[in-house]
Amino acid sequence: MKKYIVMLVVSAAIMLVMMAAIPFYMAKESAEMELLAKAERDLMQSKRIATVKAEVEKTVANVTPKIRQRIDFPDRFYTILVQMVSKNKYIVGAGVAFVPDYYTGQGKEKLYAPYAYDEEPSVTLQKKKTDDPQIRTRLLDFDYTTRDWYKRPIAKEVSFWTQPYVDQGGTKIIMCTYVEPIRDRDNRVVGVLFADVPMEDVSLLSMELESDIERGGRISLMVMLVFLVLFCLILWLAVNASRQHSRNAHEAEKQQLNSEIEHLRALNRKLTERNLELSKMARDNQFFG
C-alpha cells in the first residue's frame, strides 16, 4: 500500500513538471516560427520597401504645397488629408500638426492637429478597398509637441522616417511615419505633415502570430486544466489510499485486539471451570474424609 501511495505522489510531481514545461515549449515554438518568417520576409521585401517609401514621399511632397496654399483656411485640411489616405494604398493615416497657438481658438489646449485615418486597417494591409474606404477624421487629443516625429522636423527643418512602432490607437499594427515640415507664406516652419504607413508584412505576421499565440494559449490552458484535474484526482486517490490504509491497519489492530480479548476470556472461563472443579473436589474429600 505504501508503494502505491508513493507511486501516486511521484505521478503527481511529474504532472506538475509537465504543466510548467508546456508553456515554455509553446513559447519556444512561437519564437522559432517568428524568426523563420522574419528571415524569409527580410529576404523578399527590400524592393517593396523602396517602392512604398518612394510613393509615400512623393504623395507628401505633392500635398505640402496644397497645405501651404490653404494655410489661412484650416478647415480645408480635412479634405486634403482624406484624399491622401483614400488615394494612396500604403497610407493608413495622415495629419498636419501645427505649433502651439498657431490657430488661436482652434483645437485643444492651443494645439491644432487635424487627422484622417482608415477605420479598417486590417483591410488596408491586404490592399485597401477602392469602392468604399472607411475614412474618418478627428483632432489629435494628446500633446504631440513632446513626440520626436514633431520635434525633429520643427527643430532641424528636415523630412524623415520614424523608427517602427506599435500603434496604440487600437489597431495594434506596426507602423512607420513619414514627416515633412510645413512652412507658412513667410517661409517659417509652423508645423509638420505626416503620413502613417503600416509595415505590411510585419503587421500581417504580428496578427498571425497573435492569433497563433492566442490559439496556443487556449490549447496550453486546456492541457494545463486537464493536468490539474489529473493532479487533483491523483492526490484524491493518494489521500483515499492513505485513509484506507489507516482504516485497514486500525481494523487489523482492532481484530487482533478482539481476538486476544476473546482468547483471554476463553482462558478465564477455563480457569473458572478449573477452580470450580478443584473446589468441588475439595468439598468431596472433606465429606468422605
Side-chain angles (χ1 to χ4, degrees), residues 12-22:
I14 294 174
M15 291 290 182
L16 284 176
V17 172
M18 293 180 67
M19 287 170 64
I22 285 175

Side-chain angles (χ1 to χ4, degrees), residues 66-212:
K66 296 180 182 178
I67 297 292
R68 187 174 185 180
Q69 291 170 7
R70 295 166 176 78
I71 200 73
D72 297 327
F73 306 97
D75 292 339
R76 298 183 181 181
F77 295 153
Y78 286 106
T79 302
I80 299 174
L81 297 173
V82 168
Q83 289 179 348
M84 283 183 66
V85 178
S86 60
K87 299 298 182 182
N88 191 299
K89 62 184 179 180
Y90 299 116
I91 297 176
V92 296
V96 54
F98 289 91
V99 296
D101 211 20
Y102 185 76
Y103 292 106
T104 304
Q106 297 270 15
K108 181 180 180 181
E109 297 181 358
K110 300 182 178 182
L111 299 178
Y112 185 71
Y115 181 66
Y117 61 99
D118 185 354
E119 197 174 45
E120 298 182 354
S122 61
V123 175
T124 301
L125 291 174
Q126 301 171 32
K127 304 306 178 185
K128 185 178 298 182
K129 288 182 178 180
T130 57
D131 53 343
D132 186 22
Q134 302 297 310
I135 310 300
R136 298 290 182 265
T137 60
R138 65 181 178 89
L139 286 174
L140 297 183
D141 55 1
F142 58 88
D143 185 6
Y144 53 79
T145 60
T146 61
R147 306 297 175 90
D148 185 61
W149 58 262
Y150 171 85
K151 293 191 297 183
R152 182 173 173 181
I154 291 291
K156 298 185 178 182
E157 301 184 5
V158 294
S159 304
F160 81 107
W161 283 90
T162 67
Q163 294 294 321
Y165 62 94
V166 178
D167 175 37
Q168 298 298 330
T171 63
K172 304 303 181 184
I173 62 176
I174 303 175
M175 298 196 302
C176 286
T177 298
Y178 180 66
V179 192
E180 186 169 300
I182 295 293
R183 299 178 183 273
D184 62 6
R185 298 184 188 278
D186 297 327
N187 206 36
R188 298 176 302 168
V189 175
V190 296
V192 297
L193 174 65
F194 60 93
D196 296 330
V197 181
M199 297 184 67
E200 182 171 299
D201 297 337
V202 179
S203 296
L204 286 175
L205 174 63
S206 66
M207 287 188 290
E208 291 172 0
L209 283 175
E210 183 176 357
S211 176
D212 290 340

Side-chain angles (χ1 to χ4, degrees), residues 30 48 87 101 123 159 173 197 208 211 214-215 218 220 223 240-241 259:
S30 295
R48 190 192 72 84
K87 299 298 182 182
D101 211 20
V123 175
S159 304
I173 62 176
V197 181
E208 291 172 0
S211 176
E214 288 180 358
R215 184 167 55 251
R218 288 193 296 269
S220 177
V223 172
N240 278 353
S259 177

